[in-house]
PDB file of all heavy atoms in Angstrom:
ATOM      1  N   TYR O 560     118.589  93.753  87.905  1.00  0.00           N
ATOM      2  CA  TYR O 560     119.981  93.413  87.588  1.00  0.00           C
ATOM      3  C   TYR O 560     120.065  92.030  86.952  1.00  0.00           C
ATOM      4  O   TYR O 560     120.755  91.835  85.952  1.00  0.00           O
ATOM      5  CB  TYR O 560     120.874  93.481  88.826  1.00  0.00           C
ATOM      6  CG  TYR O 560     122.275  93.018  88.510  1.00  0.00           C
ATOM      7  CD1 TYR O 560     123.101  93.775  87.697  1.00  0.00           C
ATOM      8  CD2 TYR O 560     122.747  91.793  88.974  1.00  0.00           C
ATOM      9  CE1 TYR O 560     124.373  93.339  87.354  1.00  0.00           C
ATOM     10  CE2 TYR O 560     124.015  91.355  88.642  1.00  0.00           C
ATOM     11  CZ  TYR O 560     124.827  92.131  87.840  1.00  0.00           C
ATOM     12  OH  TYR O 560     126.079  91.687  87.505  1.00  0.00           O
ATOM     13  N   ARG O 564     121.465  91.268  83.260  1.00  0.00           N
ATOM     14  CA  ARG O 564     122.669  90.446  83.112  1.00  0.00           C
ATOM     15  C   ARG O 564     122.413  89.217  82.250  1.00  0.00           C
ATOM     16  O   ARG O 564     123.191  88.886  81.368  1.00  0.00           O
ATOM     17  CB  ARG O 564     123.170  90.044  84.493  1.00  0.00           C
ATOM     18  CG  ARG O 564     124.415  89.204  84.419  1.00  0.00           C
ATOM     19  CD  ARG O 564     125.036  89.004  85.758  1.00  0.00           C
ATOM     20  NE  ARG O 564     126.213  88.173  85.608  1.00  0.00           N
ATOM     21  CZ  ARG O 564     127.183  88.144  86.451  1.00  0.00           C
ATOM     22  NH1 ARG O 564     127.142  88.901  87.527  1.00  0.00           N
ATOM     23  NH2 ARG O 564     128.216  87.366  86.270  1.00  0.00           N
ATOM     24  N   SER O 610     124.798 101.323  93.621  1.00  0.00           N
ATOM     25  CA  SER O 610     125.269  99.945  93.457  1.00  0.00           C
ATOM     26  C   SER O 610     126.375  99.843  92.415  1.00  0.00           C
ATOM     27  O   SER O 610     127.216  98.952  92.492  1.00  0.00           O
ATOM     28  CB  SER O 610     124.107  99.021  93.079  1.00  0.00           C
ATOM     29  OG  SER O 610     123.645  99.289  91.776  1.00  0.00           O
ATOM     30  N   ALA O 614     129.858  98.138  93.281  1.00  0.00           N
ATOM     31  CA  ALA O 614     130.182  96.879  92.607  1.00  0.00           C
ATOM     32  C   ALA O 614     131.659  96.804  92.223  1.00  0.00           C
ATOM     33  O   ALA O 614     132.241  95.717  92.192  1.00  0.00           O
ATOM     34  CB  ALA O 614     129.316  96.714  91.359  1.00  0.00           C
ATOM     35  N   LYS O 615     132.259  97.939  91.968  1.00  0.00           N
ATOM     36  CA  LYS O 615     133.685  97.949  91.632  1.00  0.00           C
ATOM     37  C   LYS O 615     134.553  97.558  92.824  1.00  0.00           C
ATOM     38  O   LYS O 615     135.672  97.103  92.656  1.00  0.00           O
ATOM     39  CB  LYS O 615     134.088  99.313  91.101  1.00  0.00           C
ATOM     40  CG  LYS O 615     133.451  99.602  89.753  1.00  0.00           C
ATOM     41  CD  LYS O 615     133.823 100.956  89.224  1.00  0.00           C
ATOM     42  CE  LYS O 615     133.098 101.146  87.891  1.00  0.00           C
ATOM     43  NZ  LYS O 615     133.309 102.413  87.293  1.00  0.00           N
ATOM     44  N   VAL O 617     133.206  95.585  95.697  1.00  0.00           N
ATOM     45  CA  VAL O 617     132.824  94.306  96.320  1.00  0.00           C
ATOM     46  C   VAL O 617     132.302  93.266  95.334  1.00  0.00           C
ATOM     47  O   VAL O 617     132.058  92.132  95.732  1.00  0.00           O
ATOM     48  CB  VAL O 617     131.778  94.528  97.445  1.00  0.00           C
ATOM     49  CG1 VAL O 617     132.322  95.433  98.525  1.00  0.00           C
ATOM     50  CG2 VAL O 617     130.460  95.054  96.899  1.00  0.00           C
ATOM     51  N   GLY O 618     132.073  93.643  94.100  1.00  0.00           N
ATOM     52  CA  GLY O 618     131.501  92.735  93.113  1.00  0.00           C
ATOM     53  C   GLY O 618     130.039  93.076  92.853  1.00  0.00           C
ATOM     54  O   GLY O 618     129.382  93.711  93.685  1.00  0.00           O
ATOM     55  N   ALA O 619     129.562  92.637  91.703  1.00  0.00           N
ATOM     56  CA  ALA O 619     128.220  93.024  91.275  1.00  0.00           C
ATOM     57  C   ALA O 619     127.117  92.468  92.172  1.00  0.00           C
ATOM     58  O   ALA O 619     126.281  93.224  92.688  1.00  0.00           O
ATOM     59  CB  ALA O 619     127.994  92.592  89.828  1.00  0.00           C
ATOM     60  N   TRP O 620     127.076  91.149  92.346  1.00  0.00           N
ATOM     61  CA  TRP O 620     125.983  90.576  93.137  1.00  0.00           C
ATOM     62  C   TRP O 620     126.019  91.012  94.597  1.00  0.00           C
ATOM     63  O   TRP O 620     124.962  91.371  95.144  1.00  0.00           O
ATOM     64  CB  TRP O 620     125.961  89.051  93.010  1.00  0.00           C
ATOM     65  CG  TRP O 620     125.301  88.599  91.738  1.00  0.00           C
ATOM     66  CD1 TRP O 620     125.901  87.986  90.687  1.00  0.00           C
ATOM     67  CD2 TRP O 620     123.925  88.752  91.384  1.00  0.00           C
ATOM     68  NE1 TRP O 620     124.973  87.737  89.701  1.00  0.00           N
ATOM     69  CE2 TRP O 620     123.751  88.196  90.100  1.00  0.00           C
ATOM     70  CE3 TRP O 620     122.818  89.300  92.021  1.00  0.00           C
ATOM     71  CZ2 TRP O 620     122.519  88.164  89.443  1.00  0.00           C
ATOM     72  CZ3 TRP O 620     121.593  89.275  91.379  1.00  0.00           C
ATOM     73  CH2 TRP O 620     121.451  88.716  90.101  1.00  0.00           C
ATOM     74  N   PRO O 621     127.191  91.032  95.254  1.00  0.00           N
ATOM     75  CA  PRO O 621     127.190  91.534  96.637  1.00  0.00           C
ATOM     76  C   PRO O 621     126.694  92.972  96.739  1.00  0.00           C
ATOM     77  O   PRO O 621     125.992  93.341  97.687  1.00  0.00           O
ATOM     78  CB  PRO O 621     128.653  91.410  97.069  1.00  0.00           C
ATOM     79  CG  PRO O 621     129.208  90.324  96.216  1.00  0.00           C
ATOM     80  CD  PRO O 621     128.502  90.468  94.892  1.00  0.00           C
ATOM     81  N   SER O 622     127.049  93.780  95.752  1.00  0.00           N
ATOM     82  CA  SER O 622     126.587  95.163  95.742  1.00  0.00           C
ATOM     83  C   SER O 622     125.067  95.237  95.614  1.00  0.00           C
ATOM     84  O   SER O 622     124.398  95.958  96.370  1.00  0.00           O
ATOM     85  CB  SER O 622     127.249  95.914  94.583  1.00  0.00           C
ATOM     86  OG  SER O 622     126.715  97.201  94.442  1.00  0.00           O
ATOM     87  N   VAL O 623     124.515  94.491  94.671  1.00  0.00           N
ATOM     88  CA  VAL O 623     123.060  94.510  94.456  1.00  0.00           C
ATOM     89  C   VAL O 623     122.336  94.002  95.699  1.00  0.00           C
ATOM     90  O   VAL O 623     121.356  94.611  96.145  1.00  0.00           O
ATOM     91  CB  VAL O 623     122.689  93.686  93.203  1.00  0.00           C
ATOM     92  CG1 VAL O 623     121.179  93.496  93.103  1.00  0.00           C
ATOM     93  CG2 VAL O 623     123.223  94.353  91.952  1.00  0.00           C
ATOM     94  N   PHE O 624     122.825  92.911  96.272  1.00  0.00           N
ATOM     95  CA  PHE O 624     122.175  92.390  97.482  1.00  0.00           C
ATOM     96  C   PHE O 624     122.294  93.371  98.653  1.00  0.00           C
ATOM     97  O   PHE O 624     121.359  93.513  99.447  1.00  0.00           O
ATOM     98  CB  PHE O 624     122.749  91.026  97.866  1.00  0.00           C
ATOM     99  CG  PHE O 624     122.294  89.911  96.979  1.00  0.00           C
ATOM    100  CD1 PHE O 624     123.207  89.058  96.391  1.00  0.00           C
ATOM    101  CD2 PHE O 624     120.952  89.703  96.714  1.00  0.00           C
ATOM    102  CE1 PHE O 624     122.797  88.019  95.567  1.00  0.00           C
ATOM    103  CE2 PHE O 624     120.519  88.672  95.888  1.00  0.00           C
ATOM    104  CZ  PHE O 624     121.450  87.826  95.315  1.00  0.00           C
TER     105      PHE O 624
END
Side-chain angles (χ1 to χ4, degrees):
Y560 175 69
R564 180 170 179 158
S610 69
K615 292 179 181 177
V617 300
W620 280 112
S622 173
V623 170
F624 286 128

